[in-house]
Amino acid sequence: MSTTDPKAMAKSVFNGDALERFVVASTWLNLLFAVQVIAGLSFAYATGETGHRITLFLIPFIWSTASVWVVWHTQPTPAQRRFRIFAAVVVAAYLLVLFYLSGLLQSSTPLMEQITGPNGIAITWGRSLGWSPVLMYTGERIALTIVPYQAIGLAALAYLVYDALLELARSTIGGVIGAAACPACVGPVLAPLLAGGASGSSLVLAVGRYGYEIATVLFLVAITILYHRRRLHRLYASIR
């Protein structure tokens, strides 16, 4: 008479469910990316703007796909109202810093005013989809430039940091891991700054040439750490 191990059955069912979720998730992720690529190709066919490299053409779709995915699957940790307000204020300041470091937020200049005109708002084209259309605003003191994929990506980072701060307020190691990842969250906006590097070093020139690709890698690393911080917590607990 054969016997069945309940633990083995539970593990088998869990693995089966996990595999099914992975397949469904991968399907939707690929579908979302494919739709954007098709839209980008259609836009390129209509405008003739494809980007200088295939990676530059694909970068906006990578950022937006990853951003939509992590935001859609992140449910902010329940917390008291005062913690939510505190986390929102911190994240708002964090987002402003990211926009400033990335060059999306800067002081108003006469050149920007010429582009935006008397209304202070303009939409510019001239690059591949995701890099454009660019929304520009110029006020008396500040100028804001919204590059679609960068704005989406930085907003997704801020949302994940918000969730990590709420978890940190509950003193869980997952939140600590999320908070520790915050320095990495600045990486995606630092690498593009090297694109205009003036040094003659071959390494600096190479980094500058592929600054946006490096920024994309740093962005994916940052959101991966933040999104999977609870699994990192479990891994930490298992090896401690």
Side-chain angles (χ1 to χ4, degrees), residues 1-175:
M1 181 177 180
S2 61
T3 59
T4 303
D5 186 354
K7 292 184 177 180
M9 289 183 61
K11 184 176 181 180
S12 176
V13 172
F14 174 78
N15 291 338
D17 291 342
L19 179 60
E20 182 179 358
R21 289 196 300 269
F22 174 78
V23 171
V24 172
S26 300
T27 300
W28 281 108
L29 196 65
N30 290 328
L31 180 60
L32 177 59
F33 184 74
V35 168
Q36 293 178 89
V37 171
I38 293 173
L41 291 174
S42 301
F43 182 85
Y45 178 79
T47 63
E49 298 292 341
T50 59
H52 301 295
R53 298 190 299 272
I54 184 62
T55 51
L56 293 180
F57 172 77
L58 294 175
I59 279 174
F61 311 137
I62 296 173
W63 279 58
S64 57
T65 299
S67 299
V68 170
W69 181 258
V70 296
V71 170
W72 183 265
H73 289 86
T74 298
Q75 185 68 29
T77 304
Q80 297 179 13
R81 185 172 180 270
R82 56 177 177 148
F83 290 139
R84 295 199 304 270
I85 294 176
F86 172 75
V89 171
V90 171
V91 167
Y94 167 74
L95 189 58
L96 288 176
V97 170
L98 290 185
F99 269 60
Y100 176 76
L101 291 176
S102 64
L104 299 181
L105 179 65
Q106 55 186 306
S107 300
S108 179
T109 63
L111 178 59
M112 293 286 290
E113 293 175 359
Q114 292 178 9
I115 297 175
T116 56
N119 295 327
I121 299 177
I123 297 178
T124 63
W125 302 80
R127 302 190 69 179
S128 59
L129 189 63
W131 294 92
S132 65
V134 176
L135 175 64
M136 304 177 68
Y137 165 78
T138 302
E140 294 183 1
R141 297 181 180 274
I142 64 171
L144 182 64
T145 303
I146 302 297
V147 180
Y149 88 90
Q150 290 181 358
I152 293 172
L154 297 183
L157 270 178
Y159 184 75
L160 291 175
V161 171
Y162 172 76
D163 184 37
L165 289 176
L166 291 181
E167 193 168 4
L168 182 61
R170 299 181 60 179
S171 301
T172 62
I173 190 66

